[in-house]
Amino acid sequence: MTGPSFFGTDRMSDAHAPITQDVLTIPRKLPDGPTNLVGLTRDGLKEALLAAGTPEKQAKMRTGQVWQWIYQKGIRDFGQMTNLSKDFRAMLAENFVIELPEVVSKQVSSDGTRKYLVRIAGGHEVETVYIPETDRGTLCISSQVGCTLTCSFCHTGTQKLVRNLTPGEIIGQVMMARDDLGEWPEPGKSNPPTTRLLSNIVLMGMGEPLYNFENVRDAMKIAMDPEGIQLSRRRITLSTSGVVPEIARTATEIGCQLAVSFHATTDDVRDKLVPINKRWNIEELLAALKEYPKASNSERITFEYVMLKDVNDSDEDAHRLLELIKGIPAKINLIPFNPWPGAPYERSSNNRIRAFADIVHNGGYSSPVRKPRGEDIMAACGQLKSATERARKSRKEIAAEAGLS
Ligand code: SAH
Ligand code: SF4
């Protein structure tokens, strides 16, 4: 059973204290600089064009044209927007830029996984991971620098500094990856390639997407827009630790697939692993999840379950899990724990994971075990944390917080 040393001092000292979003916000527009068009909604783009002097009558058409250049063709230079008049292009160049976050480094794993370190305004860094598979390619994107939550098994949760990413920084990760994969149509051709290298997006990188709801929503709307990147809402999965009040909005305002970091079958254990459980417990979370599929017209909810040796991986846990999720169309994604320096847990044995998966499977649910990808470059789930930020908390602090010292 669980040794008490796994738990102990919680990072959240008061169970009833509100979980504040202690994040920095930056304005979308720098005071004097040109406006970056990347990340504006369609309405926002139209307003920006109007404000720069586009005649009212032309605004809708111009918005559509500029939108397509940016998101369908991947063009960054206004001079190349050949269906716009020279004067209009000059006006755009004077007032606007089309800018992505800067890629600081790229590492490629022996299994083909690519990890990008991306620098955003203010000099902060986030990580983005591309995972190629035979029939598709998934981009795992970040929604915040760090995370205000402090799940005890997650490397990102040990990062002190947190700021919300802007819509441009979120969709910019997708555009940056398409640049690297060479996945924009060749000049002169408008159709996207038939087999897409980047076919799926998962919001499973750094950060809690539902604590940055509006920006994530606006970015995903851009990803889904039929005149742009054109990814179906079924190919986008948002993972949340359980921000219950935002779950219904995710269904109605984004409509993507939902994954939930469940990870435990009793409130006692979940309070320790996913401290947001103290705010919204398992019962409240399940009530919100029950409503999700019909509200979003999606199929199944993915229950993510990290396999931690002697913590949450017993046969009893598997049976309890089946009881809890009764009536929810679900798939259980078992994630072998990915270690990081100073982590206070161990991965469950393969036999234990198999036994757990069999019980869930025999209960009538699909129970795939997530294959760790990019382990050699620390790109697997929960390992993301940029090197610069990594230095900020010491091993000693991490150990103390997990109750190990
Ligand atoms: N903040 C969101 C998205 C995060 S990461 C969330 O918590 O859902 C995607 C998944 O990786 C989550 O289920 C998360 O709990 C899990 N994860 C975090 N750290 C991990 C680790 N070290 N090993 C395995 N999975 C981990
Ligand atoms: Fe944040 Fe998700 Fe990591 Fe928890 S698992 S600390 S919510 S990124």
Side-chain angles (χ1 to χ4, degrees):
M1 253 324 285
T2 311
S5 61
F6 277 116
F7 301 133
T9 322
D10 285 319
R11 289 196 204 146
M12 284 178 50
S13 46
D14 176 359
H16 301 290
I19 296 172
T20 52
Q21 288 196 62
D22 194 10
V23 292
L24 307 166
T25 31
I26 55 155
R28 288 190 187 184
K29 183 177 186 299
L30 298 170
D32 301 316
T35 303
N36 187 7
L37 295 183
V38 176
L40 296 182
T41 58
R42 265 180 187 270
D43 285 347
L45 177 58
K46 188 173 163 197
E47 274 168 39
L49 296 184
L50 282 168
T54 307
E56 180 81 49
K57 272 207 238 150
Q58 294 179 9
K60 193 166 174 235
M61 185 178 75
R62 297 283 176 242
T63 302
Q65 288 169 320
V66 173
W67 184 275
Q68 285 184 17
W69 282 114
I70 299 176
Y71 297 114
Q72 197 170 66
K73 302 191 173 73
I75 294 299
R76 309 283 147 75
D77 173 3
F78 296 109
Q80 291 177 26
M81 301 186 172
T82 47
N83 58 356
L84 303 174
S85 73
K86 274 222 164 94
D87 287 351
F88 192 73
R89 284 187 251 165
M91 181 282 283
L92 290 174
E94 215 167 280
N95 291 282
F96 305 114
V97 288
I98 303 169
E99 262 174 19
L100 304 189
E102 179 195 351
V103 181
V104 182
S105 68
K106 172 177 126 182
Q107 284 172 278
V108 183
S109 157
S110 54
D111 69 12
T113 300
R114 302 179 188 199
K115 181 168 87 170
Y116 307 93
L117 180 63
V118 173
R119 185 173 296 143
I120 57 170
H124 307 298
E125 289 166 352
V126 292
E127 290 176 335
T128 308
V129 178
Y130 173 72
I131 306 145
E133 285 168 274
T134 40
D135 55 344
R136 61 182 178 175
T138 303
L139 192 71
C140 177
I141 60 179
S142 293
S143 56
Q144 297 184 309
V145 177
C147 186
T148 52
L149 301 176
T150 51
C151 303
S152 51
F153 53 89
C154 173
H155 203 194
T156 310
T158 66
Q159 193 164 312
K160 277 182 178 167
L161 187 72
V162 179
R163 121 149 142 70
N164 279 338
L165 265 56
T166 63
E169 291 161 349
I170 298 169
I171 197 66
Q173 295 170 65
V174 179
M175 297 168 73
M176 164 281 291
R178 293 194 88 191
D179 285 356
D180 189 49
L181 295 166
E183 197 169 42
W184 296 104
E186 284 169 41
K189 296 196 181 149
S190 58
N191 290 334
T194 42
T195 17
R196 296 184 70 160
L197 297 169
L198 198 172
S199 60
N200 292 65
I201 293 176
V202 293
L203 281 145
M204 295 187 184
M206 298 162 74
E208 167 48 59
L210 296 189
Y211 269 158
N212 187 14
F213 186 87
E214 280 84 8
N215 292 353
V216 165
R217 176 199 59 204
D218 289 354
M220 291 307 102
K221 291 250 172 218
I222 295 173
M224 293 186 275
D225 191 289
E227 285 186 2
I229 297 166
Q230 233 181 327
L231 285 175
S232 146
R233 62 187 187 82
R234 295 185 187 281
R235 291 184 172 271
I236 298 176
T237 304
L238 182 152
S239 175
T240 180
S241 58
V243 184
V244 166
E246 305 290 349
I247 289 177
R249 280 178 85 195
T250 308
T252 53
E253 294 181 37
I254 310 177
C256 58
Q257 305 297 308
L258 188 70
V260 63
S261 294
F262 208 65
H263 303 324
T265 60
T266 63
D267 281 323
D268 214 24
V269 177
R270 198 164 189 271
D271 280 352
K272 312 256 168 46
L273 298 181
V274 190
I276 201 177
N277 195 67
K278 295 176 188 168
R279 186 79 183 278
W280 296 289
N281 65 18
I282 291 179
E283 193 184 341
E284 291 168 287
L285 176 59
L286 288 170
L289 295 176
K290 284 203 170 96
E291 298 304 314
Y292 192 86
K294 43 181 191 301
S296 66
N297 195 22
S298 68
E299 296 124 28
R300 290 181 297 179
I301 291 180
T302 301
F303 282 73
E304 297 166 282
Y305 199 96
V306 63
M307 297 300 291
L308 303 172
K309 187 175 177 197
D310 296 336
V311 175
N312 63 354
D313 62 351
S314 68
D315 286 356
E316 293 73 45
D317 279 304
H319 288 294
R320 258 195 309 265
L321 180 61
L322 289 172
E323 277 304 306
L324 288 171
I325 64 173
K326 246 186 201 154
I328 303 179
K331 151 173 136 185
I332 318 303
N333 201 177
L334 300 176
I335 317 176
F337 171 63
N338 296 310
W340 37 270
Y345 298 105
E346 283 175 60
R347 179 183 289 185
S348 306
S349 70
N350 288 345
N351 284 346
R352 186 88 295 274
I353 297 176
R354 190 43 49 215
F356 195 104
D358 285 346
I359 294 172
V360 175
H361 188 255
N362 291 338
Y365 291 91
S366 148
S367 55
V369 178
R370 192 179 291 174
K371 195 168 153 236
R373 298 287 305 260
E375 275 183 302
D376 52 341
I377 54 169
M378 287 277 288
C381 297
Q383 292 184 322
L384 302 184
K385 184 171 177 184
S386 55
T388 44
E389 304 293 348
R390 194 173 295 143
R392 297 192 185 187
K393 267 193 194 178
S394 65
R395 267 169 186 264
K396 213 168 133 202
E397 278 178 290
I398 295 166
E401 286 168 350
L404 293 177
S405 59

Short mmCIF file of all heavy atoms in Angstrom, two decimals, residues 100-101 118 126-129 139-143 165 168-178 198:
data_model
loop_
_atom_site.label_atom_id
_atom_site.label_comp_id
_atom_site.label_asym_id
_atom_site.label_seq_id
_atom_site.Cartn_x
_atom_site.Cartn_y
_atom_site.Cartn_z
N LEU A 100 5.24 34.63 -35.23
CA LEU A 100 5.08 33.44 -34.39
C LEU A 100 6.07 33.52 -33.25
O LEU A 100 7.08 34.22 -33.34
CB LEU A 100 5.40 32.18 -35.21
CG LEU A 100 4.61 31.95 -36.49
CD1 LEU A 100 4.92 30.55 -37.02
CD2 LEU A 100 3.12 32.10 -36.24
N PRO A 101 5.80 32.75 -32.18
CA PRO A 101 6.81 32.66 -31.14
C PRO A 101 8.11 32.09 -31.75
O PRO A 101 8.07 31.37 -32.74
CB PRO A 101 6.22 31.67 -30.14
CG PRO A 101 4.81 31.43 -30.53
CD PRO A 101 4.63 31.91 -31.93
N VAL A 118 10.10 26.91 -27.16
CA VAL A 118 9.55 28.09 -27.84
C VAL A 118 9.63 29.29 -26.90
O VAL A 118 9.21 29.19 -25.75
CB VAL A 118 8.08 27.79 -28.22
CG1 VAL A 118 7.41 29.03 -28.76
CG2 VAL A 118 8.00 26.66 -29.23
N VAL A 126 8.12 27.93 -23.37
CA VAL A 126 7.22 26.78 -23.22
C VAL A 126 7.69 25.68 -24.18
O VAL A 126 8.51 25.93 -25.06
CB VAL A 126 5.74 27.11 -23.54
CG1 VAL A 126 5.16 28.06 -22.50
CG2 VAL A 126 5.58 27.68 -24.95
N GLU A 127 7.16 24.50 -23.98
CA GLU A 127 7.54 23.38 -24.84
C GLU A 127 6.34 22.87 -25.63
O GLU A 127 5.21 22.90 -25.16
CB GLU A 127 8.16 22.27 -24.00
CG GLU A 127 9.52 22.69 -23.48
CD GLU A 127 10.19 21.70 -22.54
OE1 GLU A 127 9.50 20.90 -21.90
OE2 GLU A 127 11.42 21.73 -22.45
N THR A 128 6.64 22.43 -26.83
CA THR A 128 5.64 21.88 -27.75
C THR A 128 6.22 20.58 -28.26
O THR A 128 7.41 20.52 -28.56
CB THR A 128 5.42 22.84 -28.94
OG1 THR A 128 5.16 24.16 -28.43
CG2 THR A 128 4.27 22.42 -29.83
N VAL A 129 5.40 19.54 -28.36
CA VAL A 129 5.92 18.23 -28.75
C VAL A 129 5.13 17.70 -29.94
O VAL A 129 3.89 17.70 -29.91
CB VAL A 129 5.85 17.23 -27.57
CG1 VAL A 129 6.35 15.86 -27.98
CG2 VAL A 129 6.64 17.75 -26.37
N LEU A 139 0.18 16.97 -32.30
CA LEU A 139 0.97 18.05 -31.70
C LEU A 139 0.42 18.31 -30.30
O LEU A 139 -0.77 18.57 -30.12
CB LEU A 139 0.87 19.33 -32.54
CG LEU A 139 1.89 20.40 -32.12
CD1 LEU A 139 3.31 19.99 -32.52
CD2 LEU A 139 1.56 21.75 -32.73
N CYS A 140 1.33 18.22 -29.34
CA CYS A 140 0.95 18.46 -27.94
C CYS A 140 1.35 19.90 -27.63
O CYS A 140 2.54 20.24 -27.64
CB CYS A 140 1.70 17.46 -27.07
SG CYS A 140 1.39 17.71 -25.32
N ILE A 141 0.37 20.75 -27.36
CA ILE A 141 0.69 22.17 -27.19
C ILE A 141 0.48 22.63 -25.75
O ILE A 141 -0.27 22.03 -24.98
CB ILE A 141 -0.10 23.07 -28.17
CG1 ILE A 141 -1.61 22.93 -27.99
CG2 ILE A 141 0.26 22.75 -29.61
CD1 ILE A 141 -2.39 23.83 -28.93
N SER A 142 1.15 23.70 -25.42
CA SER A 142 1.07 24.28 -24.08
C SER A 142 0.09 25.44 -24.07
O SER A 142 -0.07 26.14 -25.07
CB SER A 142 2.45 24.77 -23.64
OG SER A 142 3.34 23.68 -23.47
N SER A 143 -0.55 25.64 -22.93
CA SER A 143 -1.50 26.75 -22.81
C SER A 143 -1.06 27.79 -21.78
O SER A 143 -1.58 28.90 -21.75
CB SER A 143 -2.89 26.23 -22.43
OG SER A 143 -2.82 25.47 -21.24
N LEU A 165 -0.77 31.92 -21.89
CA LEU A 165 -0.38 32.19 -23.27
C LEU A 165 -1.52 32.93 -23.98
O LEU A 165 -2.70 32.69 -23.69
CB LEU A 165 -0.08 30.86 -23.99
CG LEU A 165 1.39 30.44 -24.02
CD1 LEU A 165 1.97 30.38 -22.63
CD2 LEU A 165 1.57 29.12 -24.71
N GLY A 168 -2.47 33.97 -29.87
CA GLY A 168 -1.43 33.93 -30.91
C GLY A 168 -0.29 32.99 -30.52
O GLY A 168 0.28 32.31 -31.37
N GLU A 169 0.02 32.96 -29.24
CA GLU A 169 1.09 32.06 -28.80
C GLU A 169 0.64 30.60 -28.80
O GLU A 169 1.45 29.69 -28.96
CB GLU A 169 1.57 32.47 -27.40
CG GLU A 169 2.32 33.81 -27.41
CD GLU A 169 2.41 34.48 -26.05
OE1 GLU A 169 1.72 34.06 -25.10
OE2 GLU A 169 3.15 35.48 -25.94
N ILE A 170 -0.66 30.40 -28.65
CA ILE A 170 -1.17 29.02 -28.66
C ILE A 170 -1.27 28.52 -30.11
O ILE A 170 -0.71 27.49 -30.45
CB ILE A 170 -2.54 28.94 -27.94
CG1 ILE A 170 -2.36 29.35 -26.46
CG2 ILE A 170 -3.12 27.54 -28.04
CD1 ILE A 170 -3.66 29.56 -25.70
N ILE A 171 -1.94 29.28 -30.97
CA ILE A 171 -2.05 28.84 -32.37
C ILE A 171 -0.68 28.94 -33.05
O ILE A 171 -0.36 28.18 -33.98
CB ILE A 171 -3.15 29.63 -33.13
CG1 ILE A 171 -3.54 28.91 -34.43
CG2 ILE A 171 -2.73 31.05 -33.45
CD1 ILE A 171 -4.21 27.58 -34.23
N GLY A 172 0.15 29.85 -32.55
CA GLY A 172 1.51 29.99 -33.09
C GLY A 172 2.32 28.70 -32.97
O GLY A 172 3.16 28.40 -33.83
N GLN A 173 2.06 27.92 -31.93
CA GLN A 173 2.76 26.63 -31.79
C GLN A 173 2.38 25.69 -32.94
O GLN A 173 3.21 24.94 -33.46
CB GLN A 173 2.43 25.98 -30.45
CG GLN A 173 2.92 26.76 -29.25
CD GLN A 173 2.36 26.19 -27.94
OE1 GLN A 173 2.65 25.07 -27.56
NE2 GLN A 173 1.53 26.97 -27.26
N VAL A 174 1.11 25.73 -33.33
CA VAL A 174 0.65 24.88 -34.43
C VAL A 174 1.29 25.34 -35.74
O VAL A 174 1.78 24.53 -36.54
CB VAL A 174 -0.90 24.93 -34.53
CG1 VAL A 174 -1.39 24.08 -35.69
CG2 VAL A 174 -1.54 24.51 -33.22
N MET A 175 1.32 26.66 -35.94
CA MET A 175 1.88 27.19 -37.19
C MET A 175 3.39 26.94 -37.26
O MET A 175 3.93 26.59 -38.31
CB MET A 175 1.56 28.69 -37.28
CG MET A 175 0.05 28.94 -37.35
SD MET A 175 -0.38 30.67 -37.10
CE MET A 175 0.13 31.37 -38.65
N MET A 176 4.05 27.08 -36.12
CA MET A 176 5.49 26.84 -36.06
C MET A 176 5.78 25.37 -36.42
O MET A 176 6.70 25.07 -37.17
CB MET A 176 5.95 27.21 -34.65
CG MET A 176 7.28 26.75 -34.17
SD MET A 176 7.37 25.03 -33.64
CE MET A 176 6.43 24.99 -32.14
N ALA A 177 4.96 24.46 -35.90
CA ALA A 177 5.18 23.03 -36.20
C ALA A 177 4.91 22.75 -37.68
O ALA A 177 5.64 21.98 -38.31
CB ALA A 177 4.29 22.17 -35.32
N ARG A 178 3.91 23.40 -38.23
CA ARG A 178 3.65 23.21 -39.67
C ARG A 178 4.82 23.75 -40.50
O ARG A 178 5.18 23.17 -41.51
CB ARG A 178 2.34 23.90 -40.09
CG ARG A 178 1.12 23.25 -39.47
CD ARG A 178 -0.15 23.73 -40.16
NE ARG A 178 -0.46 22.88 -41.30
CZ ARG A 178 -1.39 23.17 -42.21
NH1 ARG A 178 -2.08 24.28 -42.12
NH2 ARG A 178 -1.61 22.35 -43.21
N LEU A 198 0.50 16.85 -39.48
CA LEU A 198 -0.05 17.34 -38.21
C LEU A 198 -1.57 17.23 -38.31
O LEU A 198 -2.22 18.10 -38.87
CB LEU A 198 0.40 18.80 -38.01
CG LEU A 198 0.32 19.39 -36.59
CD1 LEU A 198 0.98 20.76 -36.56
CD2 LEU A 198 -1.07 19.45 -36.03
#
